[in-house]
Amino acid sequence: MADVAAEVGVSRALVSLVFRGQPGASPDTRERVFAAAAKLGYKPDMAARLLARGRSKVLGVLFTARNPYHIDLVEAIYPAAEELGYDLVLSATVPTRNEHNAIEALIGHRSEALLLCGPTIPDEDVSELGSRVPTVVLGRHIKGARVDVVTSYDRPGAREVVDYLVGLGHRDIVHVDAGNRPGGPERRRAYRDAMRAHGLTDRIRVIPGNHSQEGGSEAARLLLLEKDAPLPTAVFAANDQCAIGLLDVFTRAGVKIPEQVSIVGYDDSHIAGLSHIDLTTVRQDVPRLAQLAVEAADEQLRGAREPGVYLKLESKLVVRGTSGPPASQ
């Protein structure tokens, strides 16, 4: 603004008034100020303006770099944030960078509120974070903390998977779970409950896993090494990444999918629908989850309500090529 003021021959304060649309300058002066700004290539620094008002209008987003579902969430958060006038700062967790460091980086970049995609830090840490900065958790069930939660109903989605597979004629259905990672306990309990409801209590089997492709690969190798036991006719994986690990190892071992083993994932991330994967999975409404999360953050920032809202959306089974009736049918 000092350069524009020198070009026009007026004070910097007058230039500031013009750019802010305040009274105090004649129409002729305003015209000359804008002409000088265009000539000098000056553009007002919106970030600086917001900071001067005590606002950054920035939402910080935590996500896992290797999780395709989180990438889908980030893509959906961008337009939702833009619609409400917010920009985003992203911070990823990778094997060499934990969530605490990633979150502190977001706060250091003056994020007004935080959107945490499937965080794994302890509940008490989430609660403490919510007392410091408005926080919204996506895809994880957490209660009693001063944060908003936006997620899907995991139990009905997992139950739908078991009902579908049993309806096809499957009885030997294994679940590769995600331990205590987001959604893991709920999907595991729903699998057990659904198997019992179908009179398959003696067929219940849970193999420890996680949300990674490596977790699915390890589970597949474990099943292939059990020479004295036949392969299950169906496997319900904790998420799509896990399911893809199963699919990869089984296919390399010559196991026909779905003729010998049906595989079902969870999330319907963008990779699930690729033609060479064609994964049956449970779809979560990512655009709606993103929109609700941004709106929840905005409501907290505007002081419209206290934090602690719990929003849940329905999910839907998407049938593709990795599932079908068992060979004996």
Side-chain angles (χ1 to χ4, degrees):
M1 282 193 291
D3 291 339
V4 173
E7 179 75 16
V8 180
V10 297
S11 69
R12 184 183 183 283
L14 188 60
V15 172
S16 178
L17 288 175
V18 171
F19 283 141
R20 288 186 286 118
Q22 299 295 316
S26 68
D28 177 66
T29 299
R30 290 180 183 278
E31 185 176 336
R32 288 191 295 121
V33 166
F34 286 124
K39 175 183 175 182
L40 296 172
Y42 171 80
K43 293 182 179 179
D45 189 334
M46 298 306 298
R49 284 187 178 183
L50 290 167
L51 288 174
R53 299 174 192 170
R55 295 290 306 273
S56 69
K57 293 289 283 186
V58 169
L59 303 179
V61 182
L62 170 76
F63 68 105
T64 301
R66 295 187 178 183
N67 190 325
Y69 175 62
H70 286 188
I71 302 301
D72 292 347
L73 278 173
V74 169
E75 289 184 357
I77 289 170
Y78 265 107
E82 183 177 346
E83 185 175 345
L84 292 181
Y86 291 96
D87 201 356
L88 301 183
V89 171
L90 308 182
S91 190
T93 61
V94 296
T96 57
R97 187 176 192 242
N98 63 38
E99 287 186 356
H100 286 101
N101 291 339
I103 289 170
E104 289 303 320
L106 291 173
I107 295 174
H109 282 87
R110 302 186 67 93
S111 299
E112 287 194 307
L114 302 179
L115 307 182
L116 310 181
C117 299
T120 61
I121 57 177
D123 288 2
E124 55 269 26
D125 291 356
V126 176
S127 183
E128 189 275 334
L129 183 63
S131 68
R132 295 170 55 196
V133 59
T135 301
V136 181
V137 174
L138 291 89
R140 171 177 167 181
H141 301 268
I142 180 172
K143 294 183 178 180
R146 287 181 57 80
V147 300
D148 293 337
V149 173
V150 180
T151 186
S152 297
Y153 287 99
D154 284 304
R155 290 177 66 83
R159 173 61 188 262
E160 188 178 9
V161 171
V162 176
D163 291 348
Y164 163 70
L165 291 171
V166 171
L168 289 176
H170 293 279
R171 297 296 179 268
D172 292 314
I173 305 169
V174 168
H175 177 49
V176 181
D177 80 349
N180 290 321
R181 298 185 70 83
E186 292 77 20
R187 294 168 198 177
R188 180 171 59 248
R189 284 195 293 269
Y191 159 78
R192 292 181 182 274
D193 291 346
M195 291 290 282
R196 294 189 187 102
H198 286 289
L200 300 173
T201 303
D202 59 332
R203 306 290 184 93
I204 292 174
R205 184 180 181 188
V206 177
I207 297 177
N210 54 48
H211 279 166
S212 70
Q213 187 171 332
E214 291 77 12
S217 298
E218 286 297 321
R221 283 190 281 268
L222 174 65
L223 291 169
L224 288 169
L225 287 172
E226 295 177 343
K227 302 298 183 183
D228 297 332
L231 288 172
T233 62
V235 180
F236 168 35
N239 74 343
D240 291 348
Q241 281 287 86
C242 181
I244 289 170
L246 286 156
L247 181 63
D248 177 62
V249 171
F250 279 146
T251 301
R252 292 176 186 273
V255 177
K256 294 182 179 180
I257 309 295
E259 291 82 1
Q260 290 177 264
V261 179
S262 286
I263 298 176
V264 180
Y266 206 105
D267 287 340
D268 195 27
S269 54
H270 64 274
I271 58 175
L274 297 177
S275 60
H276 65 286
I277 295 177
D278 202 28
L279 180 68
T280 295
T281 184
V282 176
R283 174 177 296 163
Q284 302 193 66
D285 190 347
V286 170
R288 184 60 176 156
L289 286 168
Q291 181 183 15
L292 289 175
V294 172
E295 289 176 352
D298 179 61
E299 288 172 359
Q300 286 194 55
L301 288 169
R302 289 189 290 105
R305 57 168 174 76
E306 290 294 313
V309 169
Y310 212 98
L311 302 171
K312 286 188 176 183
L313 298 180
E314 299 293 336
S315 55
K316 179 182 179 181
L317 181 69
V318 179
V319 177
R320 296 194 180 99
T322 59
S323 62
S328 59
Q329 288 294 105

